[in-house]
Amino acid sequence: MSENGVRFRDIRGLLEARSVAVVGASDREGNVGGTAIGHLLKFGYTGEIWPVHPSAETVAGLPAYRSVADLPGAADLAILAVPAARAVDLVAECGAAGIRNGVVWAGGFAESGPEGRALQDRLVEACAAVDFNLCGPNCLGLINTGTKLTATYSSGLFDFETMLTGTVSMVSQSGGITAASMALAARAGWGFRHVVSVGNEAVVSAADFIHHYANDDGVRVIAAYLEGVQDGAKLVAALREAHAAAKPVVILKGGRSKESAEAAKSHTAVLAGVDKVFSAVMRDCGVTLVGSLEELLDTASLFSSLRPEQLGAGGRIAITTTGGGGGVLATDQCVSRGLAVPRLSEATVGAAAAKLTPLAAVGNPTDLTPESFYQAKWRSQLPEALGAIAADEGVDGVLFLAQAMRHRAAEVVAAVEALRGATDKPVCVSWPLAPDEALRSLAELGIYAFPEHDRAARALGHLGRYSPAAGAASADVAEVPAAVGPVVAGWVVSEPAVVAEHRARPLLAAAGLPVVEGIHAHSVDEAAEFGFPLVLKGVTDEVTHRYAAGLVKLGVSGREELNTAWKSITTRAEADGVSLDGMLVQRMADGDTEFLVSAFTDDQFGVMVSVGVGGVLAEALDDVVLMRAPVSAVSAAEHIRGLKVFERAPKLTAGVDLPALGAFAANLAALASALPWRKFTLEINPVKADGSGVVALDALLIVEAV
């Protein structure tokens, strides 16, 4: 059980199995079950291996059993290396034999069409009937390097002589990504603790594995490749647990270019696409998002090479190099990744220079020159020089750049080791063309060596932005006023509908959201009694953007203008075939700063709140922040402060009351969370937010699914 009552499956039997039954294994060449047994034997799996074959006496030299019912005990894990059509019945047989965990590699399920979907539904039902934890189907399986459990048929393991282990655990919705990840990491002398391919996630999800990793003391960093999200609340809860356990999560997301709606009725749907929502939720969970497999491995490996207290150290970097050009390029690369390369203090320069060869150029970057490694005198003093640079109060970490230097590789490794021992700050190593023995030595020391300087700068950029404080659930979230219930209950919205401002205003008011003063008028005389200056809006549920349709007149200052405006709106509506139910008459609000504040339901993550530049500029500037409900007023204000308009137009936003605008967004989130419809958008555009306060000037509710 976790955040908001989310339940996770206990999958220890999957990852920590002490006995494995391989159903469908044989000695026939190319048999995937036999391949799995070969992997288990090759890497020294520490548990029992029980092949299951209807007629063979042995498989891979091991005694074979006719069925799972004939096994010497209930295996912790069953590898069902069989075609899709047999998987359903085998799950039932496993359940009857007391087996509660299994892997199905076969494809031909939901990914293959309606018939496959129906077969997967039957598989899920069979698992539910016996409480069976299923990894897959349509997956590559799972690996636990600690116990040498290789429940996979991956051909990539043929290239491994030994099973490297580590403190990064990975879960992937792609089997190919898992295989490539292990191969690329091994090339750098780096290993994983777990590598899991979840496939279709019919029963056990990626979130279940992230939850397990969060509670595994041997895991320091969690890596994931995701293409879709089946249960957003469950994923968020798992990520929150990882954050609470001080374990960074690094995610590579596939399919980020899809938009949530190509033709949208509201500005909100245009501004908030699938990728933006996912990115916003991940940001709020403290996740580091990356754009490539290389970046995923680099970032996760760097994070895992650091102590927990070094995470979130900051983004001010000292660079040391043995060649001036490399230092110059690395400086540019660091700056482009959002890092700072500050000037070292005079005291630091003096202390480092006193221990380095006269050929060295001390600064930031510092060119140590190869001479520092060639002569015993300078080599013996190098740790003190590096320690002095790392100790500078103006830097948060050190980027150590090395050249090929094969003949001095041992000395370079020793210098890095000494530097790590001399400072509590993060040390990052970039070593293009490093000798294999040097990579192995560094890996044994828990140091990940980057093969290219820009890759190191990119990972350091993620480290500089990482904040252990980010990722916690919002505290002090707003509650829904009791007055909202009767307002919603009084509405009859039993099918998709557009609810225009004159009906949405009472809902906002009941929730305590400030709305501009106004009346619903059916004649010019009624409107005139309201007083001037005023705003005139045609009342209709048929038009979502009334201003663009010519059904709004601003700044009406007298009776004559009112007559003209009333007639103009009426004539325009008649010409367009739009029915009007009178006019909404509102007080003309002062101030130029407008925001679009809205709440909407996302298919994966539930209620979201967005705040962006409002009015006619909403879509033109595409300046928006998104937050998952519920959210506190303080957290909302911090997110809103990140809008580009605050940096680019400081005069326009100088008078904005950020705490009040944050409270407005938080209260809207609370209101939206209480609405009964499955899919809707509640858009307030514009919201005036300046020295006179925060007030909603217009509102639109679109109910898309009841």
Side-chain angles (χ1 to χ4, degrees):
M1 188 76 73
S2 186
E3 180 186 273
N4 297 326
V6 172
R7 291 186 176 276
F8 293 99
R9 301 188 72 90
D10 183 352
I11 57 174
R12 286 173 294 180
L14 278 172
L15 288 172
E16 301 170 13
R18 295 298 176 183
S19 56
V20 178
V22 187
V23 183
S26 76
D27 289 327
R28 178 175 53 84
E29 184 178 0
N31 175 264
V32 291
T35 298
I37 291 178
H39 291 334
L40 290 165
L41 294 172
K42 172 183 177 180
F43 295 111
Y45 171 59
T46 57
E48 298 287 337
I49 306 172
W50 298 329
V52 177
H53 190 281
S55 59
E57 294 296 325
T58 63
V59 174
L62 300 172
Y65 301 87
R66 297 290 182 266
S67 70
V68 293
D70 297 322
L71 294 173
D76 289 337
L77 173 66
I79 298 175
L80 305 184
V82 298
R86 288 194 59 203
V88 175
D89 291 338
L90 275 173
V91 165
E93 292 179 27
C94 286
I99 301 173
R100 293 293 180 265
N101 305 282
V103 179
V104 172
W105 299 326
F109 290 91
E111 81 285 354
S112 63
E115 291 185 5
R117 164 56 66 184
L119 181 60
Q120 183 164 312
D121 289 342
R122 289 173 51 208
L123 181 64
V124 171
E125 291 172 2
C127 291
V130 294
D131 193 23
F132 193 81
N133 288 322
L134 176 72
C135 179
N138 187 36
C139 73
L140 198 60
L142 54 88
I143 294 172
N144 180 339
T145 63
T147 62
K148 313 305 180 187
L149 170 65
T150 53
T152 178
Y153 63 96
S154 174
S155 60
L157 293 188
F158 288 121
D159 298 330
F160 288 78
E161 294 301 322
T162 58
M163 182 65 65
L164 297 175
T165 190
T167 58
V168 177
S169 285
M170 182 173 183
V171 60
S172 170
Q173 291 174 339
S174 163
I177 292 293
T178 59
S181 298
M182 288 195 68
L184 289 170
R187 184 178 296 176
W190 214 248
F192 293 90
R193 178 166 173 80
H194 306 103
V195 180
V196 177
S197 161
V198 290
N200 292 4
E201 298 178 279
V203 177
V204 179
S205 68
D208 287 310
F209 283 101
I210 292 173
H211 168 262
H212 179 90
Y213 298 158
N215 292 278
D216 184 330
D217 291 340
V219 177
R220 295 180 62 181
V221 177
I222 299 169
Y225 171 75
L226 303 178
E227 292 177 355
V229 179
Q230 292 185 352
D231 187 334
K234 188 172 184 178
L235 177 61
V236 167
L239 295 173
R240 301 274 194 219
E241 285 210 32
H243 168 266
K247 297 181 181 183
V249 180
V250 185
I251 293 180
L252 171 61
K253 176 69 166 61
R256 298 182 67 177
S257 61
K258 293 181 66 177
E259 294 295 326
S260 60
E262 294 182 2
K265 291 183 178 180
S266 70
H267 291 289
T268 300
V270 175
L271 295 173
V274 168
D275 180 42
K276 289 182 180 178
V277 170
F278 182 85
S279 297
V281 174
M282 295 302 101
R283 172 206 64 206
D284 288 348
C285 292
V287 169
T288 296
L289 286 177
V290 296
S292 68
L293 180 57
E294 174 188 270
E295 189 178 0
L296 176 73
L297 296 174
D298 281 347
T299 306
S301 298
L302 174 63
F303 282 14
S304 71
S305 72
L306 304 177
R307 299 189 299 275
E309 64 271 18
Q310 292 176 320
L311 297 171
R316 302 172 301 172
I317 303 300
I319 300 173
T320 67
T321 180
T322 54
V328 172
L329 284 175
T331 299
D332 290 341
Q333 290 161 345
C334 284
V335 171
S336 72
R337 301 296 184 179
L339 297 164
V341 184
R343 184 185 299 274
L344 300 179
S345 70
E346 291 184 8
T348 297
V349 171
K355 298 297 180 180
L356 291 171
T357 168
L359 298 176
V362 183
N364 201 9
T366 292
D367 183 1
L368 304 172
T369 76
E371 190 76 8
S372 296
F373 296 91
Y374 291 162
Q375 295 190 23
K377 174 185 176 181
W378 306 122
R379 195 164 58 240
S380 66
Q381 296 179 174
L382 184 57
E384 293 179 75
L386 293 173
I389 293 171
D392 190 288
E393 293 183 357
V395 302
D396 302 312
V398 179
L399 173 56
F400 182 98
L401 309 180
Q403 306 285 22
M405 297 183 68
R406 177 179 296 275
H407 59 299
R408 293 295 181 182
E411 288 84 349
V412 173
V413 171
V416 172
E417 184 179 12
L419 173 58
R420 286 237 302 183
T423 180
D424 291 330
K425 299 175 182 179
V427 174
C428 178
V429 177
S430 177
W431 195 348
L433 302 176
D436 289 342
E437 61 272 19
L439 291 178
R440 286 193 295 270
S441 297
L442 289 172
E444 290 171 0
L445 294 170
I447 300 169
Y448 180 77
F450 289 85
E452 208 283 322
H453 298 342
D454 189 48
R455 288 173 59 176
R458 182 175 59 188
L460 278 171
H462 288 305
L463 178 64
R465 288 183 291 275
Y466 179 80
S467 171
S474 290
D476 302 322
V477 296
E479 296 184 0
V480 186
V484 169
V487 174
V488 175
W491 289 0
V492 181
V493 183
S494 56
E495 60 184 16
V498 174
V499 180
E501 181 185 7
H502 66 291
R503 290 200 289 154
R505 280 168 54 84
L507 181 64
L508 302 183
L513 292 166
V515 294
V516 67
E517 182 185 357
I519 62 170
H520 189 176
H522 290 83
S523 69
V524 174
D525 290 339
E526 282 186 78
E529 291 177 4
F530 183 75
F532 301 97
L534 58 79
V535 176
L536 201 62
K537 302 176 180 178
V539 173
T540 178
D541 288 334
E542 300 173 16
V543 178
T544 56
H545 301 312
R546 290 172 297 176
Y547 187 88
L551 303 182
V552 176
K553 295 296 181 183
L554 305 175
V556 179
S557 59
R559 179 63 182 249
E560 184 175 346
E561 284 189 36
L562 176 60
N563 290 335
T564 302
W566 191 287
K567 183 177 181 180
S568 174
I569 292 175
T570 303
T571 301
R572 181 63 179 269
E574 290 174 351
D576 293 341
V578 175
S579 299
L580 295 183
D581 180 19
M583 304 282 178
L584 195 59
V585 184
Q586 295 176 334
R587 190 71 60 207
M588 187 69 190
D590 296 326
D592 297 323
T593 310
E594 295 182 345
F595 292 88
L596 187 162
V597 185
S598 59
F600 61 96
T601 48
D602 177 76
D603 291 339
Q604 281 76 42
F605 295 107
V607 174
M608 300 289 299
V609 175
S610 69
V611 180
V613 176
V616 296
L617 297 178
E619 292 179 26
L621 293 184
D622 190 20
D623 188 15
V624 63
V625 293
L626 294 103
M627 300 159 271
R628 182 173 181 264
V631 63
S632 70
V634 172
S635 179
E638 290 174 352
H639 285 317
I640 295 168
R641 192 189 303 275
L643 286 169
K644 290 176 286 190
V645 69
F646 283 94
E647 179 181 353
R648 297 179 181 178
K651 291 183 179 179
L652 180 65
T653 58
V656 173
D657 186 342
L658 271 173
L661 187 56
F664 187 98
N667 289 333
L668 180 64
L671 166 61
S673 298
L675 296 180
W677 306 292
R678 287 190 298 113
K679 194 168 183 64
F680 63 85
T681 298
L682 177 54
E683 180 175 287
I684 308 172
N685 181 31
V687 173
K688 287 282 188 180
D690 50 31
S692 60
V694 175
V695 61
L697 303 188
D698 202 345
L700 173 68
L701 172 63
I702 300 175
V703 178
E704 300 171 61
V706 295

